[in-house]
Structure formats: C-alpha cells, structure tokens
C-alpha cells in the first residue's frame, strides 16, 4: 500500500476532533508519542506553556480540555500550510506535518502538528502547537485602520478621524509601551490592528537612535528574512545582513508607514503607581522636558533583552592613564589608529570590535577571554535559518512553523547533535585554537541558538574574526581575568602584564529586572518573574506572558520572538480590556 501523508494526517486530525469533542483527556493524550510535546499558546489557558510527555500533557488537560471547548477542527486552507512530509535531521526521521484550524471557547484557533510512527506503526504526535489566533468578534484587522477608501461615504473624513484617533491615543492610551525599537514598534503595530489604543515612548530624539549609537560597523548577524518587521517585508534588494544605520532608518520608516503613535525624547518617570481598583497606572512621562500625566491600563517594557552595561569594579581603575569604556560606548575603530587596545570579553560585541580595530589600523589588538566561548560561523547559522525562513514561505507562515517547535525540544535535539556541530565547524575551530581561543558548544552541548535564548551571552557568530586570530592580527589571552589596572595597562590573573592605550570592556549587561528596580521600585519588581531565559518547560521567562504584577508586561527576544509573540500578548491584553480575563 502506498504511503499517503494526507490520509495519515486526516486520520490523526479526525481522532483529535473526536477526543476534543468528547473532552476525553486519555484519548487526546493517546494521540501523542510517549515523549511528545504540546505547546499551548492561549488555547487551553491564558499563558504560554510547553508540556513534554503523554502523562504530563494529560495531567495538564485534566480540566483544561473540557473548558477550552475545542471544535470544528479542519485542515488549514493556507496554500503554504498544506500537509507535507519533512526530514528531521537531528533524529534521522521523516514526519508528516499538518496545519489545522479550530474554534474554541474564546475564539478562533490554529494548530500545527508533526507526526511520527510509534513502535506499533501508528502515527502519533511528536509535537503539536495549538494557539488562540483571534477573539471572536474582535479579529485582527487586515488593513491599516482609518486608511481604507472612504470615497463616497457620507459624513466620513479620513483626516478628521485620524486626528481624533491621535488625540485619543495621546491622552487616553490603553497601553503605554516603553521603548521604540523593534520589539516596541512591532507590538504597537499589532495592537493597532487589534484596536488597542497604544502610545510608544522612546528616550532618544529619533526612532532608531538606539541602533545609531552602536558601533558603526555593526550589522545584524541573522538573515534579513528572520529580522523582518511585522506586516512590512524589506525591499527585494535589501542586504542579507542589515547594517546598523539601515536598520535605524527602517525602524523610523516603519513607525511612519504603520501609523504608530510614538513620542520621542520621552521617558517614563520612576515609581508609577498601580491602582488595583481601577486597573490603571498613574504615570508621569517626561516629554521634551515637560511632564505629562497618563492613566494607561497596561505598561509594556520593551527596552531590550538586556539591561544597562555592566562594568566590573577593578582595582586601580583610577590609576590608568588611558581610555576606559564599555563596548556599548564604542564609537568605531577610527578613534584608535596606532594605539594598543585591549578588549575584555569574548562574545559577539568583542569580536566585532576587535575586527573593526584591526581594519581601522590599531597598533595592537588583544582579546581577554576568561572562559571558553561557543563560536559558530555566521554562514552555518544562516544556513540553518534559511531552512525555516526560506524564500518560498511568507514570514508569518515561517514564524508559525518555527513557533511550533518548543524551545525545550529544540534544546534536546541540539544536544543530540553536538558532535555534528563540532564536525561542521572544524575548520573554523582549528583557526581559533591556533590563536589560543578556548571553545565550547554550550554548557550542555546545546549550541549557539539555545545560548541566545537561555543566556543572551557566552557566544559569538564568526564572520572573519577567526582568520584574524589565526594570523595573529587579534591576539588572545585565554583562561585569565583582569586582576588590576596600572598607569599603563593591565595585570592579569596569571601574573602577566599588558600595556594599553585603551581598554574596552565587552562584559555584558545587568539583568533587566534589576535595572527596573529604579523605575518601578522593589515592591513591584519583587512580585514579577525573572525576565528572559528559559523556564523549566522551555518557555521564555516573564516575557509576553503575565509578569506577576497586573498591568505590567515585558517584551524581549529577537525579531522573530517579538514578531510572533506580539499576537499572544495583544490577545491577553485585549481579553482583559473586554473583561474575558480578570487579574
């Protein structure tokens, strides 16, 4: 009998429909492999959860399945989401993949499943994601509001309506987003499509300045399809790796095209007060030197995944006669022509700065690597990314399929292929070892991408730095730390001394939660979860989900994470606005 993926998918989806209709938790769980995964994105609870194992899934759904009222399951009609087979290289298996839609208690839903044969030959779920995609009667708009053709409609005045909308958002925003970079702007665009009045405040004079102030040679390390913005793809001739200034200008352009309300040169003032009775915040914003009072129901902190720059307190700092700065303030290698420069740290910023210094004509460049680093080539990471965000799929479809891989499962699969990653990067690593660099593939062998999710540090994507290390243009002192500074340089923990005209600390950032203590106060921050990193289930901690403090949310992560999770966060806020969910 010929293998028919559509027949396999139809049989499984029919069984899922039957189990859901009957609220039969055991039958539902039996559709999963014993170690299968369920990712729940607001379909069963008002949270983002990942469950591994049939028993865990059944326990999770013991009450939630009947409450969710899953019904009307059918194949997704999107031509890019038709049933197909796909090879999963980490486990050397071919799966059957299907996308489906459903109705549930709170609205419309979407799902994506990957099926593999069990020991008895029956296809069961390796992974299933089920997500709430829209609240019934409050669906996301497909067209920019107030910009459709009003010609011939009596009493309609587009400019007047836009002016009224602007006045409402500026005086009575339902949501205040702090931070006008990629996460904040994508959230604002999504919220606008969900009819949630949203005001964005940005501390710098121009949208995109947060990027313009970074070192001038900075380019994004991910492919352009991965770092596209919600609703708005890049032009077809856009560079594959977006430079700093192009990204800054694109963010400014995006805010204009998407009709977002952004106040620049504006900062949230410390200690906003939350009124649990009215469910609103008493907020003061300093806008261009003038205090403005607002009463939003929600504050979303979208100031980045990282907090403020971390500068270690090193003995003798006041004695050093040269320049000391954090990598966050590095203004480009042109300032260091003919100088001896030491860069402390061995992550992405460090290698980028070291390369810039060499190409700009520094006399010497030395990197201090305290402990081993996970280093993979940009070409390798880009190849992996193109397997998901390829040219053949729209960004939203690629995001949907990517999100259907729970991060916890991705980690297990990556650890299982650690040997293959080492082998793939052998040439790169040989160059690095020649220069004395100590290497790892993550503490558990999980590779670079999972380190981005778990730590946002301890790695770099190489785009030529290894060649400069191999030929001695960048010298590396590994396995040592800075003990103290002298007038003319550094004393390291092994007793050696380096002379330096400038020391650049690429030493990372203070956790965002601690930075926010000054802004919100201990009482509020102590009620909130840790921010970023993965929890025990493999979901992002404290981001795009309840923080622990009503009305306070955090938006972190890369472009894909903020692009995809803008919808679940919008749904959670909209559900509270409608009274469906109460804090």
């Amino acid at each position: 009998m010929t293998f028919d993926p559509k027949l396999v998918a139809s049989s499984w989806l029919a069984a899922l429909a039957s189990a859901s209709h009957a609220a039969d938790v055991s039958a539902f769980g039996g559709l999963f492999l014993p170690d299968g995964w369920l990712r729940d994105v607001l379909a069963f609870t008002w949270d983002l959860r990942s469950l591994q194992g049939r028993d865990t899934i059944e326990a999770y759904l013991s009450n939630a399945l009947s409450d969710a009222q899953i019904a009307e399951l059918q194949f997704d009609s999107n031509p890019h989401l038709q049933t197909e087979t796909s090879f999963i290289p980490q486990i050397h298996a071919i799966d059957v993949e299907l996308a489906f839609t459903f109705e549930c208690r709170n609205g419309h839903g979407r799902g994506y499943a990957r099926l593999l044969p069990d020991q008895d030959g029956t296809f069961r779920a390796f992974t299933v994601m089920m997500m709430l995609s829209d609240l019934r009667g409050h669906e996301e708009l497909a067209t920019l509001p107030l910009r459709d053709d009003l010609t011939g409609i009596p009493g309609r005045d587009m400019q007047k309506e836009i002016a009224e909308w602007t006045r409402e958002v500026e005086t009575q925003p339902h949501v205040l987003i702090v931070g006008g970079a990629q996460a904040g702007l994508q959230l604002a665009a999504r919220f606008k499509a969900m009819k949630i009045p949203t005001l964005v405040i940005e501390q710098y004079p121009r949208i995109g300045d947060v990027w313009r102030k970074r070192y001038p040679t900075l380019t994004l390390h991910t492919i352009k399809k991965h770092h596209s913005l919600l609703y708005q793809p890049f032009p077809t001739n856009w560079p594959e790796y977006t430079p700093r200034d192009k990204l800054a200008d694109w963010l400014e352009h995006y805010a204009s095209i998407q009709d977002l309300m952004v106040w620049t040169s504006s900062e949230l003032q410390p200690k906003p007060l939350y009124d649990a009775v009215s469910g609103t915040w008493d907020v003061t914003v300093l806008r261009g030197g003038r205090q403005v009072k607002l009463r939003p129901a929600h504050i979303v902190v979208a100031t980045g995944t990282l907090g403020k720059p971390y500068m270690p307190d090193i003995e003798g700092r006041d004695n050093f006669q040269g320049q000391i700065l954090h990598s966050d303030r590095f203004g480009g290698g042109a300032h260091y022509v003919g100088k001896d420069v030491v860069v402390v740290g061995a992550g992405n910023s460090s290698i980028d700065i070291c390369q810039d210094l060499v190409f700009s004509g520094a006399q010497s460049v030395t990197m201090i690597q305290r402990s081993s680093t996970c280093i993979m080539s940009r070409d390798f990471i880009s190849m992996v990314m193109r397997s998901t965000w390829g040219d053949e799929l729209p960004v939203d479809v690629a995001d949907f399929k990517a999100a259907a891989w729970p991060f916890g499962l991705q980690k297990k699969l990556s650890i299982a292929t650690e040997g293959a990653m080492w082998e793939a990067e052998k040439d790169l690593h040989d160059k690095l070892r020649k220069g004395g660099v100590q290497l790892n593939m993550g503490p558990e062998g999980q590779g670079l991408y999972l380190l981005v999710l778990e730590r946002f540090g301890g790695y770099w994507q190489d785009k030529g730095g290894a060649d400069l290390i191999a030929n001695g243009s960048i010298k590396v002192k590994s396995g040592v730390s800075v003990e103290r500074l002298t007038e003319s340089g550094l004393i390291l923990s092994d007793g050696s001394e380096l002379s330096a005209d400038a020391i650049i600390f690429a030493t990372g950032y203070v956790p965002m939660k601690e930075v926010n203590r000054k802004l919100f106060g201990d009482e509020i921050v102590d009620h909130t979860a840790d921010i970023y990193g993965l929890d025990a289930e493999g979901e992002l901690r404290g981001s795009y989900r309840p923080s622990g403090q009503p009305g306070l949310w955090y938006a972190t992560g890369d472009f894909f994470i903020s692009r995809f999770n803008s919808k679940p966060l919008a749904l959670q806020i909209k559900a509270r606005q409608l009274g469906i969910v109460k804090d």
Side-chain angles (χ1 to χ4, degrees), residues 5-323:
K6 186 65 180 286
L7 184 61
V8 169
S10 296
S11 176
W12 185 88
L13 188 60
L16 183 68
S18 177
S20 300
H21 176 74
D24 188 333
V25 172
S26 179
F28 194 101
L31 296 170
F32 288 78
L33 293 171
D35 60 349
W37 288 75
L38 170 66
R39 187 166 192 223
D40 172 22
V41 183
L42 312 181
F44 297 102
T45 65
W46 285 104
D47 198 357
L48 282 64
R49 302 286 302 273
S50 288
L51 299 310
Q52 182 193 12
R54 186 182 293 162
D55 293 342
T56 303
I57 292 169
E58 290 181 10
Y60 177 69
L61 296 177
S62 58
N63 295 316
L65 181 58
S66 59
D67 290 344
Q69 299 176 18
I70 305 295
E72 298 181 40
L73 287 91
Q74 55 187 326
F75 286 110
D76 197 309
S77 61
N78 189 316
H80 296 287
L81 287 171
Q82 298 308 292
T83 299
E84 62 182 2
T85 59
S86 181
F87 180 64
I88 305 176
Q90 298 94 330
I91 57 174
H92 304 286
I94 296 175
D95 68 358
V96 173
E97 301 189 9
L98 65 142
F100 56 95
T101 60
F102 59 90
E103 296 298 310
C104 60
R105 178 177 182 175
N106 293 311
H108 317 298
R110 303 175 68 198
Y112 198 85
R114 294 178 171 93
L115 313 179
L116 290 172
D118 205 346
Q119 291 181 347
D120 62 1
T122 302
F123 276 81
R124 293 187 170 90
F126 181 42
T127 68
V128 177
M129 179 178 74
M130 295 180 68
M131 67 175 292
L132 179 67
S133 57
D134 270 310
L135 296 170
R136 196 172 292 109
H138 302 276
E139 291 78 7
E140 179 179 350
L141 299 175
T143 303
L144 273 174
L146 307 180
R147 292 296 190 182
D148 52 334
D149 186 6
L150 304 180
T151 305
I153 303 177
R156 296 292 298 275
D157 183 329
M158 180 186 295
Q159 298 307 320
K160 179 181 178 182
E161 290 180 6
I162 291 173
E164 290 174 348
W165 172 83
T166 299
R167 186 164 49 252
E168 177 191 0
V169 171
E170 289 194 302
T171 57
Q172 302 176 50
H174 190 70
V175 177
L176 178 68
I177 295 177
V178 183
Q182 62 272 15
L185 295 180
Q186 290 188 109
L187 285 172
R190 183 80 78 176
F191 291 0
K192 183 166 189 177
M194 299 283 289
K195 296 185 179 180
I196 302 171
T198 301
L199 173 65
V200 181
I201 58 172
E202 167 57 43
Q203 64 175 324
Y204 293 119
R206 288 177 63 191
I207 296 169
D209 278 352
V210 68
W211 286 98
R212 293 185 188 94
K213 292 178 181 294
R214 301 293 303 278
Y215 50 93
T217 58
L218 184 148
T219 60
L220 296 189
H221 293 83
T222 60
I223 60 174
K224 62 185 176 184
K225 191 79 171 279
H226 177 273
H227 60 253
S228 295
L229 296 180
L230 180 68
Y231 307 133
Q232 193 168 311
F234 291 118
T236 56
N237 62 345
W238 195 261
E240 185 72 341
Y241 304 102
T242 303
R244 176 199 74 171
D245 291 337
K246 292 299 291 181
L247 178 62
D249 291 346
W250 187 251
L251 291 172
E252 196 168 43
H253 175 73
Y254 180 79
S256 174
I257 294 299
Q258 296 297 327
D259 285 341
L260 306 181
M261 184 54 58
V262 183
W263 286 356
T264 54
S265 299
S266 300
E267 295 185 75
L268 179 64
Q269 295 304 285
K271 308 296 178 63
L273 299 175
Y274 183 73
D275 184 343
V277 176
S278 65
T280 59
W281 292 89
D282 183 354
V283 164
T284 300
V285 173
L286 189 64
R287 184 188 187 193
R290 182 173 64 90
Q291 289 192 348
V292 181
K293 301 289 287 186
L294 297 170
R295 299 284 300 187
H298 302 272
I299 298 174
V300 181
V301 179
T303 50
T305 301
L306 303 170
K308 295 194 177 296
Y310 169 70
M311 284 285 285
D313 185 14
I314 295 176
E315 180 185 347
R317 177 173 174 173
D318 293 339
N319 298 327
F320 182 62
Q321 298 300 300
Q323 183 185 16

Side-chain angles (χ1 to χ4, degrees), residues 244-418:
R244 176 199 74 171
D245 291 337
K246 292 299 291 181
L247 178 62
D249 291 346
W250 187 251
L251 291 172
E252 196 168 43
H253 175 73
Y254 180 79
S256 174
I257 294 299
Q258 296 297 327
D259 285 341
L260 306 181
M261 184 54 58
V262 183
W263 286 356
T264 54
S265 299
S266 300
E267 295 185 75
L268 179 64
Q269 295 304 285
K271 308 296 178 63
L273 299 175
Y274 183 73
D275 184 343
V277 176
S278 65
T280 59
W281 292 89
D282 183 354
V283 164
T284 300
V285 173
L286 189 64
R287 184 188 187 193
R290 182 173 64 90
Q291 289 192 348
V292 181
K293 301 289 287 186
L294 297 170
R295 299 284 300 187
H298 302 272
I299 298 174
V300 181
V301 179
T303 50
T305 301
L306 303 170
K308 295 194 177 296
Y310 169 70
M311 284 285 285
D313 185 14
I314 295 176
E315 180 185 347
R317 177 173 174 173
D318 293 339
N319 298 327
F320 182 62
Q321 298 300 300
Q323 183 185 16
I324 297 175
L325 69 155
H326 190 272
S327 58
D328 186 65
R329 298 300 178 204
F330 177 67
H335 301 287
Y336 302 91
V337 175
K339 294 186 177 182
D340 296 316
V341 186
V342 174
V343 181
V344 181
N348 260 340
S349 294
S350 175
I351 190 61
D352 281 357
I353 289 170
C354 286
Q355 283 183 254
D356 188 15
L357 289 166
V358 170
F359 294 147
S360 298
Q363 175 68 29
S364 69
V365 179
T366 304
M367 175 191 292
I368 306 297
Q369 183 194 34
R370 185 178 61 180
S371 57
S372 61
T373 306
C374 177
I375 305 172
M376 304 183 77
S377 67
R378 187 173 68 176
D379 289 345
F380 180 86
I381 298 298
S382 297
M383 177 190 69
V384 173
M385 283 189 166
R386 289 188 187 101
S387 68
T388 299
W389 287 277
D391 292 337
E392 72 281 1
L393 289 180
V395 172
D396 63 321
V397 173
D399 287 352
F400 181 60
K401 296 177 72 171
W405 284 109
F407 291 140
L409 174 58
Q410 290 186 47
K411 180 175 181 178
K412 289 178 180 292
L413 294 176
S414 293
I415 291 172
T417 57
E418 179 185 2

